[in-house]
Amino acid sequence: MNGVSTDESTAYTAPEDSPFRPRDDARDQARQFVLPLVVRIERAAPPARTDALETAARAVLVLLGDERSLDDGEWARAVRDWQDARIRKVVRRARGAEWRRAEALPGITVTGRTAEVRVFPPVPVDDWPKDLARLQVSGTDLDDPEPPAEAGSDLPVLWMSPEVGMSAGKAMAQAGHGAQLAWWELSDADRAAWREAGFPLAVRTASPGHWSELVRGGLPLVRDAGFTEIAPGSCTVVADHPALR
């Protein structure tokens, strides 16, 4: 696979009234925001690919459920502005002093088995904090030392398309899109239960036959806007949360 890369894609679903559906309206005329995610990749100990994807997805959920993102919280306005337009996400990498500078900025670090991902409140596309803007977006491959274990039937699974090849950074952003669409579809009670459990989830690549069923199954589906790497309208992720089946 390619190295970690910027993803300036947009997730959208089919309904005409979805705030994620691309169209030429006031949402596109407003100032655009992006959700920055930074993955820690030290030369001597890079994270496993699947763990990085799962940790990025959980990081998005942690930010969405954080009290600072809700009601009158200090991040709430930025989160509302971001979600009311295109839910862009950008994944960059950091190591050493770069990571320490990123950790000093307001945000939340989420840790997986091997991965660390820090998520930040949304920022304008054209006005990044300098310590994030200078971070690299390519140059490191991520692999799984062993094939990931089969996900349990009671676990939320973000199913990645077997038909679309993506870099690690692109796939992390897409997993985050899928987690966010699932969050939007859940009831308040199901959101609270997922949050209290620590947002358990798995990211797996579906078999071709299973993928075909998932795409037609009515679950939240990410279609990429095609800004980077893949063709516009490509189906990339299906969010299979038990509460949505």
Side-chain angles (χ1 to χ4, degrees):
M1 299 299 295
N2 296 325
V4 175
S5 65
T6 299
D7 175 58
E8 293 195 17
S9 62
T10 300
Y12 66 92
T13 50
E16 291 291 339
D17 61 351
S18 170
F20 306 128
R21 189 174 180 85
R23 52 181 170 253
D24 185 15
D25 64 9
R27 290 189 179 95
D28 287 326
Q29 301 306 316
R31 192 177 192 186
Q32 296 294 301
F33 286 73
V34 63
L35 186 77
L37 295 128
V38 175
V39 56
R40 183 179 185 181
I41 304 182
E42 300 290 348
R43 289 189 178 90
R49 180 185 173 93
T50 296
D51 191 40
L53 269 60
E54 293 173 347
T55 305
R58 291 203 333 272
V60 172
L61 293 166
V62 168
L63 181 129
L64 291 172
D66 191 278
E67 61 182 10
R68 289 167 289 185
S69 300
L70 304 172
D71 302 322
D72 295 324
E74 61 184 289
W75 300 342
R77 176 63 183 272
V79 170
R80 284 194 298 270
D81 288 345
W82 168 61
Q83 290 193 120
D84 194 44
R86 297 176 178 265
I87 56 169
R88 295 185 179 186
K89 298 177 180 68
V90 171
V91 177
R92 299 190 175 195
R93 65 176 176 87
R95 61 170 60 101
E98 295 172 332
W99 177 256
R100 291 190 291 274
R101 286 194 292 269
E103 279 204 304
L105 298 175
I108 305 169
T109 298
V110 177
T111 303
R113 294 181 298 278
T114 63
E116 289 181 77
V117 175
R118 189 163 179 84
V119 61
F120 303 85
V123 299
V125 170
D126 56 357
D127 191 19
W128 281 63
K130 65 178 182 180
D131 284 331
L132 298 183
R134 66 178 53 161
L135 295 177
Q136 298 297 310
V137 299
S138 64
T140 301
D141 294 332
L142 296 181
D143 298 307
D144 283 316
E146 299 178 358
E150 184 175 344
S153 60
D154 60 341
L155 190 68
V157 182
L158 303 174
W159 292 104
M160 308 295 290
S161 170
E163 302 170 352
V164 182
M166 291 180 282
S167 68
K170 180 78 171 180
M172 288 172 69
Q174 296 294 303
H177 290 336
Q180 185 169 0
L181 294 185
W183 173 261
W184 270 65
E185 292 289 333
L186 291 171
S187 67
D188 289 344
D190 287 328
R191 286 183 187 179
W194 201 12
R195 181 174 57 241
E196 290 167 7
F199 295 115
L201 57 84
V203 176
R204 298 291 185 270
T205 299
S207 67
H210 188 205
W211 178 250
S212 180
E213 294 175 0
L214 288 165
V215 169
R216 299 193 307 267
L219 292 167
L221 171 65
V222 178
R223 297 178 186 269
D224 191 69
F227 291 123
T228 61
E229 295 194 25
I230 61 179
S234 297
C235 299
T236 58
V237 183
V238 171
D240 183 11
H241 191 291
L244 300 178
R245 294 171 189 161

